[in-house]
Amino acid sequence: MNMPIFIVAGLLVHCVFLISIFDIYFTSPLVHGMTPHQTVLPPPAQRLVLFVADGLRADSLYELDNNGTSMAPYLRNVITSKGSWGISHTRVPTESRPGHVALIAGFYEDVSAVARGWKENPVEFDSIFNESRYTWSWGSPDILPMFAKGASGDHVYTHCYEAGSEDFGAEDATVLDAWVFDHVKDFFSSARNNGTLFSELHEQKIVFFLHLLGIDTNGHAHRPHSSEYKGNIRKVDEGVKEIVSLVEDFYGNDGNTVFILTSDHGMTDWGSHGAGHPSETLTPLVAWGAGINSPQPVSSQQFEDRFLKEWKLETWKRQDVNQADIAPLMASLIGVSFPLNSVGILPLGYLNNTARFKAESMLTNAAQILEQFKVKMAQKKKTTLPFLFSPFKSLSDSEQIDFLRKARTSIQHEKYEEAVSLCSQLIHLALEGLLYYHTYDRFFLGVSVAVSFVGWTSYVILIIIKAQAGLSWSPPSKEIISLLRGAFSAVGVLIAILLLIQSLPWTYYIYCLLPVPIWYAVLKEYPIIQALATSLLNIPWTHSVGFLLASTLGIEILVVSFFYRSTLSFGLIIFSMWPFVGWLWAQAKAMVLSWILSCLLLSVFPLMPVVGRDQNIPLVTAAGWLILLSSSCLVALLWKSKKKQVRGKELYLYLSQLLSLALSSYVVKNTHSSLESKEGLPLINQIMSWTTLASSLIVPLLSSTMLFSRLLSIFLSLMSTYLLLSTGYEALFPPALALLMFVWINMEQEAQKGYGVPLKSKLAALSFSHTADITEFRQLHVGDIRRSFFFVFFIVTAFFGTGNIASVNSFDPASVYCFVTVFSPFVMGGLLLWKIAIPFVLVSCAFEAVQVTTQLSSKRLFLIVLVISDIMALHFFFLVKDYGSWLDIGTSISHYVLVMSFAIFLMLLSGLSQLLTTKRLELWGRTKHHSL
């Protein structure tokens, strides 16, 4: 087998598997070509003022303090004397961009669009701003531009502060909101002296959008229960009061202005958002002014939560909505067309208008969503062969017409409640139909990918078996190979023709044709399959069943660990008992005890809370000094050893790394102390942090390639960076992991003796750069499957040891404060990913050392690892959900993407670890080392 070609092919195949999930589950829900719909009756308001308090939790706005006082007295007064209120339920991911898209455009943006950027529009969409006559907006440069760029024409005006103002380390983030309020005041003041602007401001269907980012920034920097966060809410409340008074005064209290205050997402107690915790998904909604119902006293309300009593609002009617429902509400209030791609349902409870107006508005809402359904159906019908097309049976063409006719007749006969009921039924059916056609191709695409998956895994297993000398087979006959080639070519041509006739996207060709070459490669090796079947029949069935059960248990532990981190602790405890199964306990008691203790030590971490919830900078500093002390002792031992494993200038290299470790501990403490005192990020700390990060992959290449010397250098360099990215107990995780890896390397060499494999030299004398000829590589045995499983398990532990899916999606920005405090999602995300990757690199380098000590070709062990990870990926492929809560669906897809990323990442990680362990930069003369 040509290994480079295999690696390239493997990368391409796994990239297809990874990308396929986005074509199957994460395609854009948007369709184009619909006709706009708006309510035919005059709207109750001429203008809308929309306040979006970024990162504001519902409970933070509604709750009372210990003295029974609201943090937002003006808005509290609005709830009890002027308007309507409730909770807006957001969807995952609870981030700023998808939250604003749901609010202003009325649809839930797919993840692929969110990942492409905050400011750009990878897919054009309609919005309330686009449908308005004029929109003026003030706020963050990360939010406003995407609605201006998505608008047709130049009627959406944006006023943004500098991006550098969004500084988590700033003295006071309330200045962001003060900037917005001040510029709105200046705007209305200048309008009195500007005839053109004054005239535009008195048009109908205009929107004022105030994006208030201070609360979100203070929440990230100081947490939602801090005085800074609560103080910012008071500032926003005061600012809203001033703007409302200013607007009403400007328009002479004409009663034609409607005000809405809400939030794009909430925030966890530890200052993050992105996942599906109620503190992130429950946001406030307060509406008052023209067309909005006044407060409605009630004697009782039925809600599953206990918030009403906690907030002392149980006597005022609470009306909850989904976040996308706010867009049709705003459209109805000012009389603009409903956004073309909106899937929101008009919340009638907020409207103070006639029964006819409500019925007409619901009919408009139904017609607008039905229009999307009809376009989606027409698109799918056009790209499907007539005999293969299966329409959505619950909403046929005749039923659509019937619903609209009955609703219109009911309105004409003043049966408004009946009309609203019919429209509600039509909306829900149309939304079901939209989902049906949106997922129409999911089944056959899924089957194609699954068939490719099974074929690829089978092919890798055959490659592993083929390399074994103990199996004999005859070469395949040319006639059968020719027959297989002809049959698979015919199948491929037939599939391509069917896809071409239906004008399906080019990606469908890849997914549907990929199984053809893969299964051709598998069946071409039929002699090996026959030989394997014969060999398996000669093995006692108890051995086969035992191996199958052990393999299944191992895979299931890995899979379950994605849902329950504590499973990793269970697995590590089982691992600690491994030496007692064989002969290791008898021949290396001290090493076995070290193995047991290191396994038990690491097993503590998956039982602890996910990182980021509680900052503990003193613990990070203490961890740094602990690592510095232990590493200094280790360097001293290597320096004083008889074989002088650390010589001359190499000692200065280790001393510089120890100094970097000490500086990192100081920088973490000093940076967070500076931020707490609101002095910002010191420039010298930022320079040292970025310098440490840049050198972390360079400095180890200057050290000796002797096994432990190089591993120590890698650990010290990576640990310096990891400390800078730590905020709590996770700073202790890499040392605990590295200790277990060190013991594992020694245990594996001891285990080799049990297989009768002659050891070339002691561990202390082994070098990563040792180039053995092919005769020194041995054949695979069952122990190598265990080693590969250990590696995959340790990789999973490296990821989930201190967190889970939600903690990655909802990370604490405080972990990157040593590098950057100004909001920059991709820089911050990149630093987070490197923090996650550091334990991976440690495990991968240890695996390289295991391959050296066990004298096995890294290619063969890697193939076993690939099989294990692919079986896990296939497992998660079948666990992907398209039902249940959005969080369940998103989490299941995240699991699959993560495992697929593992398979691709392991290929790249293998190359990185080989580079870190085997290569050396010669900045001084080569030091001679003597083997034993």
Side-chain angles (χ1 to χ4, degrees):
M1 177 190 64
N2 190 318
M3 198 62 181
I5 294 177
F6 174 80
I7 290 176
V8 171
L11 279 172
L12 290 175
V13 168
H14 282 85
C15 284
V16 171
F17 290 159
L18 177 59
I19 294 170
S20 69
I21 207 71
F22 292 97
D23 264 338
I24 295 173
Y25 291 96
F26 281 158
T27 52
S28 173
L30 303 187
V31 289
H32 301 282
M34 288 83 68
T35 303
H37 292 268
Q38 68 182 67
T39 307
V40 294
L41 298 179
Q46 293 183 11
R47 65 198 72 93
L48 162 72
V49 181
L50 172 63
F51 302 95
V52 176
D54 202 305
L56 176 60
R57 293 162 44 146
D59 59 343
S60 296
L61 180 69
Y62 295 141
E63 68 186 1
L64 304 176
D65 61 19
N66 295 331
N67 300 321
T69 305
S70 172
M71 284 180 288
Y74 174 75
L75 291 169
R76 182 84 177 190
N77 180 62
V78 167
I79 292 171
T80 57
S81 63
K82 292 183 180 180
S84 296
W85 76 284
I87 289 178
S88 169
H89 296 262
T90 71
R91 284 193 182 183
V92 179
T94 45
E95 300 289 353
S96 291
R97 176 183 171 116
H100 281 87
V101 169
L103 284 171
I104 299 166
F107 73 93
Y108 301 104
E109 196 169 34
D110 65 289
V111 173
S112 61
V114 177
R116 296 188 196 182
W118 266 245
K119 301 179 184 179
E120 302 300 328
N121 291 332
V123 179
E124 291 184 6
F125 59 83
D126 192 22
S127 70
I128 293 291
F129 297 171
N130 186 45
E131 295 293 346
S132 69
R133 183 157 297 166
Y134 296 107
T135 292
W136 288 272
S137 57
W138 297 265
S140 168
D142 294 313
I143 297 299
L144 305 189
M146 70 175 174
F147 293 103
K149 291 180 181 179
S152 57
D154 56 355
H155 62 285
V156 178
Y157 304 103
T158 61
H159 305 273
C160 307
Y161 38 73
E162 294 294 328
S165 303
E166 300 175 19
D167 190 345
F168 295 131
E171 182 177 344
D172 187 4
T174 57
V175 297
L176 299 176
D177 298 339
W179 186 96
V180 171
F181 293 133
D182 289 344
H183 278 71
V184 173
K185 294 173 187 175
D186 293 342
F187 172 79
F188 278 99
S189 177
S190 64
R192 296 184 183 276
N193 303 316
N194 185 328
T196 302
L197 179 59
F198 188 85
S199 176
E200 290 176 347
L201 287 174
H202 283 80
E203 296 275 1
Q204 295 185 355
K205 303 179 181 180
I206 61 174
V207 178
F208 303 103
F209 172 43
L210 284 70
H211 177 238
L212 308 169
L213 187 62
I215 293 175
D216 182 76
T217 306
N218 270 319
H220 285 307
H222 306 289
R223 307 293 185 264
H225 294 294
S226 65
S227 58
E228 289 85 357
Y229 185 88
K230 294 177 180 179
N232 205 148
I233 294 176
R234 294 189 187 95
K235 290 287 186 182
V236 166
D237 183 67
E238 294 169 4
V240 169
K241 180 180 179 181
E242 291 175 3
I243 297 301
V244 170
S245 176
L246 175 71
V247 171
E248 290 182 338
D249 179 63
F250 183 85
Y251 288 105
N253 294 301
D254 63 357
N256 288 319
T257 307
V258 60
F259 302 92
I260 292 179
L261 181 138
T262 185
S263 177
D264 53 347
H265 56 74
M267 187 170 288
T268 61
D269 289 343
W270 50 96
S272 64
H273 55 82
H277 191 274
S279 61
E280 299 168 87
T281 60
L282 303 183
T283 59
L285 173 61
V286 183
W288 69 102
I292 296 293
N293 259 330
S294 56
Q296 301 174 56
V298 291
S299 56
S300 64
Q301 301 185 70
Q302 297 299 320
F303 286 96
E304 294 181 1
D305 54 60
R306 300 178 181 177
F307 294 137
L308 286 170
K309 288 186 177 180
E310 293 177 7
W311 300 338
K312 308 297 183 185
L313 289 171
E314 62 268 31
T315 58
W316 302 104
K317 187 176 182 180
R318 165 181 154 188
Q319 302 179 75
D320 287 9
V321 300
N322 291 319
Q323 194 172 46
D325 298 342
I326 298 175
L329 173 63
M330 294 188 292
S332 177
L333 287 167
I334 60 174
V336 300
S337 297
F338 285 38
L340 294 174
N341 300 113
S342 172
V343 294
I345 302 174
L346 180 63
L348 294 178
Y350 279 82
L351 295 180
N352 178 23
N353 215 311
T354 63
R356 182 188 172 194
F357 180 86
K358 294 180 180 180
E360 289 283 4
S361 296
M362 279 298 287
L363 182 58
T364 303
N365 195 180
Q368 169 261 325
I369 293 178
L370 181 63
E371 187 80 14
Q372 294 181 70
F373 168 80
K374 291 161 71 174
V375 171
K376 193 79 171 178
M377 180 179 67
Q379 289 180 353
K380 188 52 58 184
K381 195 171 184 179
K382 184 179 178 181
T383 59
T384 307
L385 293 173
F387 63 90
L388 294 176
F389 181 71
S390 176
F392 182 63
K393 297 179 181 178
S394 300
L395 194 58
S396 63
D397 291 344
S398 60
E399 287 174 315
Q400 296 173 33
I401 296 170
D402 194 44
F403 265 113
L404 293 174
R405 180 183 55 80
K406 287 181 178 179
R408 175 54 62 193
T409 302
S410 297
I411 292 174
Q412 291 172 351
H413 289 84
E414 299 184 358
K415 298 178 180 179
Y416 300 122
E417 291 186 3
E418 182 180 317
V420 168
S421 176
L422 285 168
C423 292
S424 296
Q425 293 178 47
L426 179 56
I427 287 173
H428 286 98
L429 285 174
L431 289 175
E432 287 180 22
L434 269 174
L435 179 63
Y436 173 80
Y437 287 117
H438 184 59
T439 59
Y440 189 83
D441 295 330
R442 185 172 294 179
F443 177 75
F444 97 86
L445 287 177
V447 169
S448 298
V449 173
V451 170
S452 297
F453 236 125
V454 175
W456 170 259
T457 307
S458 303
Y459 180 64
V460 176
I461 293 173
L462 289 176
I463 290 175
I464 297 171
I465 295 170
K466 194 175 182 179
Q468 289 298 96
L471 204 63
S472 59
W473 67 89
S474 302
S477 65
K478 293 181 179 179
E479 293 79 9
I480 294 180
I481 293 296
S482 298
L483 180 63
L484 286 172
R485 188 182 295 115
F488 277 95
S489 297
V491 170
V493 170
L494 179 61
I495 292 173
I497 291 173
L498 287 173
L499 295 174
L500 184 63
I501 292 174
Q502 298 179 85
S503 302
L504 291 172
W506 63 270
T507 51
Y508 283 41
Y509 289 80
I510 297 176
Y511 305 138
C512 297
L513 290 174
L514 186 60
V516 176
I518 290 178
W519 277 102
Y520 169 70
V522 171
L523 296 180
K524 192 173 68 171
E525 305 291 349
Y526 72 90
I528 302 176
I529 299 173
Q530 292 175 340
L532 177 62
T534 304
S535 176
L536 290 175
L537 291 174
N538 294 327
I539 298 175
W541 68 271
T542 52
H543 292 186
S544 301
V545 172
F547 176 78
L548 185 62
L549 289 176
S551 301
T552 303
L553 176 63
I555 295 293
E556 288 304 314
I557 287 177
L558 289 173
V559 170
V560 174
S561 69
F562 279 66
F563 300 94
Y564 307 100
R565 292 170 57 226
S566 57
T567 309
L568 294 172
S569 299
F570 173 71
L572 286 166
I573 292 171
I574 293 178
F575 281 9
S576 68
M577 303 175 189
W578 158 56
F580 298 102
V581 176
W583 53 87
L584 284 173
W585 170 249
Q587 70 184 42
K589 289 185 173 61
M591 190 58 63
V592 169
L593 286 174
S594 300
W595 169 261
I596 293 171
L597 291 175
S598 56
C599 281
L600 295 179
L601 175 62
L602 194 64
S603 69
V604 173
F605 287 90
L607 299 176
M608 299 179 74
V610 297
V611 296
R613 298 196 173 184
D614 296 301
Q615 283 193 32
N616 193 336
I617 302 304
L619 180 60
V620 177
T621 306
W625 290 110
L626 177 65
I627 297 166
L628 179 65
L629 179 63
S630 57
S631 300
S632 299
C633 293
L634 188 55
V635 170
L637 289 174
L638 292 173
W639 169 251
K640 293 182 178 181
S641 65
K642 293 181 181 180
K643 299 300 177 182
K644 285 283 182 183
Q645 294 187 47
V646 175
R647 298 169 178 267
K649 294 181 180 179
E650 289 181 6
L651 177 63
Y652 296 113
L653 176 67
Y654 289 117
L655 291 177
S656 69
Q657 289 182 295
L658 292 173
L659 177 61
S660 176
L661 199 61
L663 286 174
S664 293
S665 301
Y666 167 77
V667 167
V668 169
K669 180 180 179 181
N670 182 259
T671 297
H672 286 271
S673 175
S674 177
L675 293 176
E676 285 179 5
S677 59
K678 298 184 179 180
E679 296 175 359
L681 170 61
L683 179 61
I684 185 65
N685 289 7
Q686 189 175 25
I687 292 172
M688 285 194 291
S689 298
W690 283 106
T691 302
T692 302
L693 174 64
S695 63
S696 61
L697 294 178
I698 306 294
V699 174
L701 301 180
L702 300 174
S703 67
S704 166
T705 55
M706 301 303 289
L707 192 140
F708 286 132
S709 297
R710 178 56 66 91
L711 289 178
L712 176 60
S713 181
I714 292 170
F715 171 72
L716 290 176
S717 281
L718 295 180
M719 198 60 223
S720 296
T721 303
Y722 198 88
L723 280 176
L724 294 170
L725 293 166
S726 298
T727 59
Y729 76 87
E730 79 269 21
L732 295 168
F733 180 69
L737 181 64
L739 175 63
L740 180 57
M741 294 299 98
F742 171 80
V743 179
W744 181 37
I745 295 168
N746 285 273
M747 289 286 290
E748 290 297 356
Q749 194 185 46
E750 291 292 337
Q752 281 300 95
K753 299 175 182 177
Y755 292 104
V757 178
L759 301 179
K760 296 292 179 182
S761 55
K762 294 182 180 179
L763 278 176
L766 287 175
S767 172
F768 281 112
S769 61
H770 173 64
T771 53
D773 48 58
I774 196 67
T775 58
E776 292 181 306
F777 291 141
R778 57 176 177 78
Q779 295 295 314
L780 289 170
H781 50 64
V782 177
D784 295 317
I785 299 177
R786 176 192 53 74
R787 289 185 183 92
S788 301
F789 177 77
F790 273 21
F791 173 62
V792 175
F793 185 90
F794 291 143
I795 284 287
V796 174
T797 304
F799 183 82
F800 288 113
T802 58
N804 54 20
I805 292 292
S807 67
V808 173
N809 192 33
S810 179
F811 79 102
D812 181 9
S815 60
V816 301
Y817 283 172
C818 291
F819 296 87
V820 60
T821 55
V822 176
F823 179 66
S824 179
F826 294 105
V827 173
M828 290 177 166
L831 289 168
L832 170 70
L833 290 176
W834 180 234
K835 179 183 178 181
I836 294 170
I838 285 174
F840 286 171
V841 176
L842 293 176
V843 173
S844 189
C845 290
F847 193 52
E848 286 290 323
V850 167
Q851 293 170 23
V852 172
T853 61
T854 57
Q855 302 164 32
L856 183 67
S857 168
S858 60
K859 298 173 185 176
R860 296 180 186 177
L861 278 181
F862 176 74
L863 289 176
I864 299 175
V865 169
L866 192 60
V867 169
I868 295 172
S869 62
D870 280 346
I871 292 174
M872 287 175 60
L874 184 60
H875 202 124
F876 281 112
F877 185 81
F878 289 113
L879 287 177
V880 169
K881 295 180 179 179
D882 61 351
Y883 57 89
S885 72
W886 204 95
L887 178 60
D888 291 338
I889 297 170
T891 301
S892 67
I893 294 173
S894 297
H895 286 157
Y896 172 76
V897 171
L898 186 61
V899 178
M900 281 310 309
S901 299
F902 273 172
I904 298 172
F905 183 59
L906 289 177
M907 294 183 186
L908 302 176
L909 197 62
S910 176
L912 176 62
S913 59
Q914 285 186 20
L915 173 68
L916 283 174
T917 54
T918 61
K919 303 301 179 183
R920 187 178 185 187
L921 296 176
E922 296 289 346
L923 298 186
W924 49 72
R926 180 182 293 276
T927 304
K928 294 182 179 180
H929 294 279
H930 301 281
S931 298
L932 295 179

